[in-house]
Amino acid sequence: MNSSRPYLIRALYEWIVDNDCTPHLLVNAEYPGVQVPQGFASDGQIVLNASPSAVRHLHMDNEAVSFEGRFGGAAHTLYIPSTAVLAIYARENGQGMVFDLESPVVDEEPDSGPDDDGPSGGEPPRPSGRPSLKVVK
């Protein structure tokens, strides 16, 4: 399943702008593929004002957020992979969302056996690290 992060970033951006607030992105400036002016990063992170009045050529898709912005009077082209976005929030009130760190997605090959063997006398084995639900009566 695709990551929900790029969809949430776009939705929250639109929501923040529709409420006449200033969208800010907190970005991991050290994430592979991130292109931001390093001189403006602090502790490996950078906060970017992504309001329509502050940026040009804003583009958000499932892979990345990109736009042109000015830093210290000089124009820069920024490219931020969606997985490098740590948070999006409104400057005026702090409302928005903080994201968990995502590890790179690895394509899994489908199992060759059937998905539902039925009960086998105990709980079916679960892959480690994956969430599970249990019916509690």
Side-chain angles (χ1 to χ4, degrees):
M1 183 172 253
N2 292 336
S3 170
S4 61
R5 185 182 303 218
Y7 300 93
L8 292 169
I9 292 169
R10 290 192 300 266
L12 287 165
Y13 179 88
E14 186 174 330
W15 174 70
I16 292 167
V17 171
D18 284 352
N19 283 284
D20 296 321
C21 291
T22 309
H24 280 200
L25 299 172
L26 175 63
V27 176
N28 178 351
E30 297 173 345
Y31 194 87
V34 169
Q35 296 174 6
V36 295
Q38 292 299 318
F40 295 89
S42 175
D43 295 327
Q45 298 179 346
I46 188 168
V47 176
L48 303 170
N49 176 350
S51 68
S53 62
V55 302
R56 291 180 44 185
H57 308 296
L58 176 67
H59 180 73
M60 295 181 179
D61 60 23
N62 290 349
E63 302 301 317
V65 176
S66 62
F67 56 87
E68 292 177 10
R70 299 187 73 78
F71 292 83
H76 292 272
T77 300
L78 289 79
Y79 182 85
I80 302 110
S82 296
T83 49
V85 176
L86 301 174
I88 180 169
Y89 60 93
R91 177 184 67 196
E92 291 78 3
N93 57 21
Q95 290 190 353
M97 182 176 286
V98 176
F99 299 104
D100 290 334
L101 294 175
E102 271 187 26
S103 58
V105 176
V106 178
D107 290 334
E108 296 180 20
E109 295 198 19
D111 294 337
S112 58
D115 288 341
D116 186 13
D117 292 343
S120 60
E123 284 194 32
R126 291 187 304 263
S128 62
R130 299 197 60 194
S132 64
L133 298 175
K134 183 177 179 181
V135 177
V136 178
K137 294 184 182 184

